[in-house]
Amino acid sequence: MRIDIVTIFPEYLDPLRGALLGRAIERGLLNLDVHDLRRWTYDVHKGVDDSPYGGGPGMVMKPQVWGEALDEVCAGEPPRLVVPTPAGRPFTQAMAHEYATESRLVFACGRYEGIDQRVIDDASTRMRVDEVSIGDYVLVGGEVAVMVMVEAVARLLPGVLGNPLSAEQDSFSDGLLEGPSYTRPEVWRDRAVPEVLRSGNHKAIDRWRRDQAIERTFARRPDLLAALPPESLDKHDRAL
Ligand code: ADE
């Protein structure tokens, strides 16, 4: 997969080249390019923003600069363009899976009060464009949101995770939060690992894990439990 990111703070995205994603890049599983938006500015001040029509606080990013940048970065086979904004549709694990099947993603990081809407409307005539929010809070700009989304997508690419079962057993993959995990030692500060996990009885372990996932989801995210199709819960689940 190829990912391009356009931003006025390219160095902000440097951490994406470390750890797991850095290895994916080295191994050629992910091709990541970060572009400085100021490359496409056309005045001596390298201006990227201006005051909003209609008045109000903050600044809006200029359409001419973004238009030129996206024309160049999105040239060739049209990519899927993702624009992070608190006014977007919520980003979910299902979207991460969908993005992981794309051959090309372009992320356009806005700052200030956002990007002139005509940039998004114009790009939408040539490619799929998603305005996406990573949660109900407001960040200073789209860079951190892009890091979140790129990490969520990249770990789903074939070969990126050492053990592909890790992605399959994620929280959300079956609509439930994952339950607790334990490792050695068996007893730590007088706290023992639950007996069943040491029993070697895999059927009992699976059942215990499912019970824990349901109880945790009920306590922390009842909205997720309510959204599950009723047939995905068995008799034992419903009795909890
Ligand atoms: N930019 C600012 N806040 C954001 C959010 N919550 N999600 C995506 N992009 C943003």
Side-chain angles (χ1 to χ4, degrees):
M1 168 182 280
R2 181 190 162 112
I3 293 181
D4 289 275
I5 303 172
V6 185
T7 167
I8 52 168
F9 295 116
E11 71 285 359
Y12 225 88
L13 283 306
D14 285 348
L16 282 178
R17 299 190 183 279
L20 192 77
L21 267 56
R23 271 206 309 282
I25 293 167
E26 272 167 31
R27 289 161 58 212
L29 303 171
L30 176 66
N31 188 336
L32 179 71
D33 239 330
V34 180
H35 311 270
D36 187 348
L37 179 69
R38 293 198 201 272
R39 240 185 80 197
W40 289 278
T41 54
Y42 47 82
D43 65 344
V44 285
H45 306 293
K46 296 187 183 285
V48 292
D49 61 331
D50 205 340
S51 47
Y53 268 109
M59 300 290 264
V60 178
M61 296 189 100
K62 292 153 86 75
Q64 306 96 312
V65 179
W66 269 111
E68 295 291 318
L70 293 181
D71 284 351
E72 192 173 325
V73 173
C74 302
E77 182 68 23
R80 186 146 182 182
L81 177 63
V82 183
V83 184
T85 162
R89 291 204 176 84
F91 183 67
T92 60
Q93 186 66 15
M95 281 161 80
H97 278 281
E98 199 184 311
Y99 287 174
T101 67
E102 301 282 348
S103 55
R104 259 198 93 189
L105 293 173
V106 174
F107 290 91
C109 299
R111 286 250 145 186
Y112 317 108
E113 296 306 300
I115 302 172
D116 187 302
Q117 189 63 39
R118 291 168 294 180
V119 173
I120 285 110
D121 297 344
D122 173 63
S124 302
T125 64
R126 294 185 296 280
M127 61 193 92
R128 284 167 303 161
V129 183
D130 300 331
E131 292 180 85
V132 179
S133 166
I134 61 157
D136 292 341
Y137 38 78
V138 180
L139 305 166
V140 186
E143 284 76 10
V144 171
V146 167
M147 280 200 262
V148 167
M149 289 189 271
V150 169
E151 187 166 311
V153 171
R155 66 186 286 282
L156 298 175
L157 298 176
V160 169
L161 288 186
N163 182 351
L165 282 179
S166 312
E168 271 169 43
Q169 290 170 5
D170 283 339
S171 280
F172 305 119
S173 55
D174 57 2
L176 297 172
L177 301 183
E178 240 184 307
S181 314
Y182 302 88
T183 185
R184 277 180 282 270
E186 214 172 288
V187 179
W188 179 77
R189 295 192 179 173
D190 289 335
R191 295 168 187 275
V193 170
E195 182 69 43
V196 60
L197 297 178
R198 292 177 283 132
S199 67
N201 178 344
H202 290 288
K203 208 167 154 217
I205 291 172
D206 287 348
R207 185 68 250 175
W208 183 86
R209 285 191 168 142
R210 172 117 184 138
D211 292 352
Q212 292 288 315
I214 289 175
E215 279 167 17
R216 182 174 273 189
T217 308
F218 180 72
R220 300 179 183 179
R221 293 292 305 276
D223 57 310
L224 291 180
L225 214 48
L228 282 181
E231 63 275 16
S232 71
L233 294 175
D234 63 29
K235 226 165 70 197
H236 191 282
D237 293 339
R238 278 191 289 269
L240 280 175

